[in-house]
Amino acid sequence: MRVPTTSTALCLLVGLGLVAGSVAPAAAFELFGIHLFGKKKDDSAEDVIGEPQRYTVDFSVSGDNDDVESRLKGASTLWADREKAASGAAGLLAKARGDYRRLLGALYTEGRYGGSISILVGGREAADLPPDTELADPIAVQVVVNPGPIFLFGETSIVHRAPPPVDKTDKVKLPEDEGFLPGEVARSGVVLAAERLSVEAWRQQGYAKAQVASRDVVAEHDTNRLNATLTMDPGRKAYFAPVDVQGTERIDPKFLAWMTGIQPGQEYDPDDLARASKRLARLDVFRAMRFQEGDEIGQDGSLPISLIVQERLPRRFGIGGSYSTIDGAGLEAYWMHRNLFGRAERLRLEAKVSGLVNSFKPDELTYRLGATFIKPGVYTPDTNFVSSVIGEREVLDAYTRTGVIADAGFTHIFSDELSGRVSLTGGAARFDDDVFGKRNFVNVGLLGGIIYDSRDNKTDATEGYYAEATLEPFYEFNYGNAAGRATVEGRAYYGFGEEKRVVAAGRLKIGTLVGPSIAETAPDKLFFAGGGGSVRGYGYRNIGVPVGDGRIVGGRSLIEGSAELRTRVTDSIGLVGFVDAGYVGIDSVPKFREDLRVGVGGGLRYITGLGPIRLDAAVPLNRHSGDPSIGFYVGIGQAF
């Protein structure tokens, strides 16, 4: 079979399918009558039943075209299935006939429109053999491909192109940026991308039913040029009709319509639907959810929008654990109701015990009991009310704390990357340590924070940045002190190579406390370092200000840093080398009179769908009294 060349011009037909809410991948793509994308009933021989037909296949591509040969072999089912028998002679011939289309499509993706393909079964062209042909068993199959010349774009144009957007958020990548311009290789995928981008440019400006009205794509074989003209039909400008919510069982449909943030009469924008989808997904109450656009725009310009949901069961519980050779084992469990009053309110009850293995004496273990309530959609769809009460007994080498803390406030999501919070906090606790003895503290204050997060993956980032800043002014009643506590943390990730199998990651955290002395400040307001998420190789919160006899207290300044080099050896196994460092100072502004503590080590990662399972081993480089010689840490997710 050979691409026809009797005419100097041949037509290219390109089809795009649209689905509600977005431009879908191509539903069909045909070139010179060859079906390249989408399902076609006669594309495979899966339904053919017969005696197994064994075959051998010899695949040859003329010229020095290793890349093209690799793509062709990837498209060929004869080559892919060469180690297993076909479903009878008819099944083998059907497979071969399907390969003509698949191989031709692979050539077109490389911009080659003048090639030839020959598939010989027992020395005869497969296209000429009837399905009931009797074949030897096994039979020799030869696939011979001449890729032909590479075609370049000659004339390219888009008629009725969308005007430049007024709003920069409506900007869409230009077809020319994808290679749709004269002199570039005329790959079939570039034509398809040009159509998709041209449609999306209109949709971003409110034309929900924009489509390609006509395509005029001509291949000139005497000059190896492909001329392409796309004519767009934007249709009528659309405005959102009231959102119709379907499929709810326990949750209030009017609340969901409000949570979309879509106002009736608002100009259609696919970005608004995308933001609404993310906002509703954060409610964590749906098993499935999708927006469906109406088929037609009304005479008044209104476009019907349906939100179709399938709810999860409202109650959920879970258990987890952690272990390090320094801090022992920990167990935790939680119970959650994710639609308490019918508007996606979440109540979470949790319990935790840690310090196991190191000790089983009740007074030497750490306990935590807590309750958190979240009410979404307060004032705006992106604002949540959050409150919590936590009772805790914390047993550390530096101190023992028994107390309760509570907070109530709001969180707000400004964009996909930026979020903030503000809350009123208060707490009372009793502390016991070897330096100051028993002390009681009662604190009330404000806590504000802002987070910027552009990481591509929260548990295993390969690129992006994370930054968090917090400010906590508070007043302590027992000693009558006003104070302020602030922290700033930044993380950066850079992946090397196209697949980013090697990632360099870094973290820096700085903290300061101003106001009272260390002796008149609750230890949980002071700074400590050490542990699996801080400076590995040292115990949890075991780096502080030394006061003699191996004892430490918290400091009023903190500097922490980490650097990691992560390498993925296989798709499921990764290796990590790291160095951590931490400094805790007695002054609000570090004067570096205390030691900088450094830990180095390596780790193993097992990649799962929930994130990597982490096993780290670290050695402290400047051990003090009580520090281990080596520490092991187990957890889920990267260290940072």
Side-chain angles (χ1 to χ4, degrees):
M1 177 180 180
R2 182 177 175 81
V3 177
T5 57
T6 55
S7 172
T8 59
L10 295 172
C11 290
L12 169 67
L13 303 178
V14 182
L16 280 176
L18 297 180
V19 295
S22 64
V23 178
F29 192 108
E30 295 190 1
L31 184 58
F32 308 146
I34 300 300
H35 189 84
L36 303 181
F37 294 103
K39 293 184 178 180
K40 200 170 184 179
K41 290 183 178 180
D42 59 350
D43 266 359
S44 70
E46 295 299 324
D47 296 331
V48 178
I49 300 175
E51 293 295 327
Q53 173 67 60
R54 294 174 297 170
Y55 69 95
T56 61
V57 59
D58 177 64
F59 206 110
S60 63
V61 180
S62 61
D64 187 12
N65 296 295
D66 291 343
D67 291 342
V68 176
E69 181 174 346
S70 177
R71 181 178 289 275
L72 289 169
K73 286 182 175 179
S76 169
T77 57
L78 284 170
W79 180 260
D81 299 339
R82 64 190 181 278
E83 295 182 356
K84 59 183 180 181
S87 298
L92 177 62
L93 293 175
K95 192 188 298 283
R97 284 192 293 271
D99 262 10
Y100 285 116
R101 290 186 296 272
R102 285 182 280 268
L103 295 174
L104 197 56
L107 290 178
Y108 292 166
T109 62
E110 295 293 313
R112 297 174 183 268
Y113 302 94
S116 63
I117 301 168
S118 177
I119 301 177
L120 303 177
V121 178
R124 294 176 291 175
E125 196 68 43
D128 300 332
L129 295 176
D132 58 353
T133 302
E134 293 187 5
L135 303 176
D137 187 33
I139 191 74
V141 177
Q142 292 177 291
V143 180
V144 181
V145 181
N146 176 10
I150 294 177
F151 279 58
L152 304 179
F153 283 115
E155 298 178 2
T156 58
S157 64
I158 300 174
V159 181
H160 296 155
R161 179 197 289 256
V166 176
D167 188 341
K168 65 179 182 180
T169 61
D170 291 337
K171 187 176 181 180
V172 176
K173 195 174 184 180
L174 296 175
E176 288 80 3
D177 295 334
E178 290 290 309
F180 189 69
L181 72 171
E184 293 293 320
V185 177
R187 294 182 172 89
S188 57
V190 172
V191 179
L192 188 63
E195 290 196 6
R196 175 179 55 81
L197 293 172
S198 298
V199 169
E200 183 62 18
W202 277 113
R203 284 170 54 81
Q204 285 289 334
Q205 298 186 44
Y207 294 84
K209 299 304 180 182
Q211 61 182 343
V212 179
S214 66
R215 312 160 179 88
D216 184 14
V217 183
V218 177
E220 296 180 347
H221 287 267
D222 54 347
T223 61
N224 296 333
R225 297 281 176 174
L226 195 75
N227 302 321
T229 299
L230 307 178
T231 302
M232 307 304 300
D233 176 15
R236 181 184 303 164
K237 196 164 190 174
Y239 300 85
F240 287 117
V243 176
D244 176 39
V245 180
Q246 303 174 17
T248 57
E249 298 177 14
R250 292 170 289 269
I251 196 167
D252 183 355
K254 292 182 180 179
F255 169 74
L256 289 184
W258 182 78
M259 281 295 291
T260 64
I262 296 173
Q263 300 296 325
Q266 176 182 336
E267 181 182 302
Y268 172 86
D269 189 338
D271 294 337
D272 290 336
L273 293 176
R275 281 189 290 268
S277 293
K278 291 180 180 179
R279 186 182 299 121
L280 295 173
R282 289 194 295 265
L283 297 177
D284 193 33
V285 294
F286 302 121
R287 179 180 292 112
M289 174 194 67
R290 64 184 174 91
F291 282 100
Q292 182 171 296
E293 297 178 9
D295 294 332
E296 296 182 357
I297 300 172
Q299 292 297 322
D300 59 352
S302 63
L303 177 66
I305 297 292
S306 297
L307 171 62
I308 303 170
V309 301
Q310 184 179 4
E311 295 182 22
R312 295 175 185 264
L313 293 175
R315 296 170 184 81
R316 177 182 179 184
F317 72 91
I319 59 173
S322 62
Y323 177 76
S324 83
T325 56
I326 300 173
D327 304 313
L331 296 174
E332 56 187 290
Y334 73 89
W335 176 91
M336 182 172 67
H337 196 304
R338 47 187 158 204
N339 188 27
L340 195 61
F341 303 123
R343 292 197 166 190
E345 300 90 349
R346 275 172 283 172
L347 175 64
R348 177 186 170 107
L349 306 178
E350 60 181 297
K352 179 179 180 180
V353 58
S354 59
L356 297 167
V357 178
N358 290 351
S359 174
F360 290 98
K361 296 180 179 180
D363 61 344
E364 294 181 356
L365 300 177
T366 290
Y367 305 93
R368 177 186 175 99
L369 289 173
T372 301
F373 174 76
I374 300 176
K375 179 175 176 54
V378 179
Y379 302 120
T380 78
D382 291 312
T383 306
N384 293 348
F385 171 76
V386 181
S387 64
S388 66
V389 178
I390 297 174
E392 188 172 34
R393 175 178 171 82
E394 191 176 21
V395 180
L396 304 173
D397 289 344
Y399 61 83
T400 296
R401 169 182 169 272
T402 304
V404 61
I405 57 175
D407 68 83
F410 301 92
T411 64
H412 183 78
I413 296 177
F414 298 98
S415 68
D416 288 343
E417 293 83 21
L418 190 64
S419 61
R421 59 174 173 149
V422 61
S423 61
L424 176 67
T425 65
R430 179 183 180 88
F431 293 87
D432 188 2
D433 61 63
D434 294 337
V435 178
F436 300 107
K438 296 181 179 180
R439 296 172 295 164
N440 294 317
F441 294 90
V442 178
N443 297 303
V444 173
L446 294 173
L447 176 62
I450 192 165
I451 295 175
Y452 174 83
D453 189 353
S454 64
R455 294 174 296 176
D456 60 341
N457 186 304
K458 309 304 182 187
T459 60
D460 192 11
T462 62
E463 63 179 7
Y465 301 93
Y466 176 92
E468 180 178 12
T470 64
L471 179 63
E472 183 184 7
F474 64 93
Y475 184 82
E476 200 287 310
F477 288 91
N478 284 355
Y479 291 89
N481 290 321
R485 189 178 192 270
T487 62
V488 177
E489 181 177 3
R491 308 173 192 172
Y493 307 85
Y494 182 80
F496 296 89
E498 185 174 341
E499 297 184 1
K500 295 181 174 60
R501 299 185 74 87
V502 177
V503 177
R507 179 182 71 94
L508 179 64
K509 183 177 182 180
I510 300 173
T512 185
L513 174 73
V514 295
S517 65
I518 290 176
E520 294 186 357
T521 303
D524 60 343
K525 298 294 186 183
L526 297 170
F527 294 105
F528 292 85
S534 176
V535 184
R536 285 161 285 187
Y538 301 85
Y540 175 63
R541 294 172 69 89
N542 272 11
I543 299 175
V545 176
V547 292
D549 298 328
R551 299 175 300 169
I552 64 169
V553 295
R556 299 199 298 163
S557 58
L558 169 74
I559 300 176
E560 275 184 2
S562 298
E564 287 193 351
L565 188 64
R566 306 167 182 170
T567 303
R568 184 168 294 191
V569 181
T570 69
D571 289 340
S572 59
I573 300 295
L575 298 176
V576 174
F578 60 83
V579 56
D580 298 335
Y583 169 84
V584 176
I586 194 171
D587 303 296
S588 298
V589 177
K591 297 182 179 178
F592 296 99
R593 291 181 294 189
E594 292 77 27
D595 289 341
L596 177 70
R597 314 294 289 278
V598 180
V600 297
L604 180 68
R605 304 289 185 267
Y606 179 72
I607 313 301
T608 72
L610 299 176
I613 297 175
R614 180 176 78 251
L615 172 62
D616 286 336
V619 175
L621 293 189
N622 44 350
R623 293 176 59 198
H624 287 198
S625 176
D627 289 334
S629 56
I630 186 172
F632 294 93
Y633 305 86
V634 178
I636 296 179
Q638 298 285 3
F640 62 90

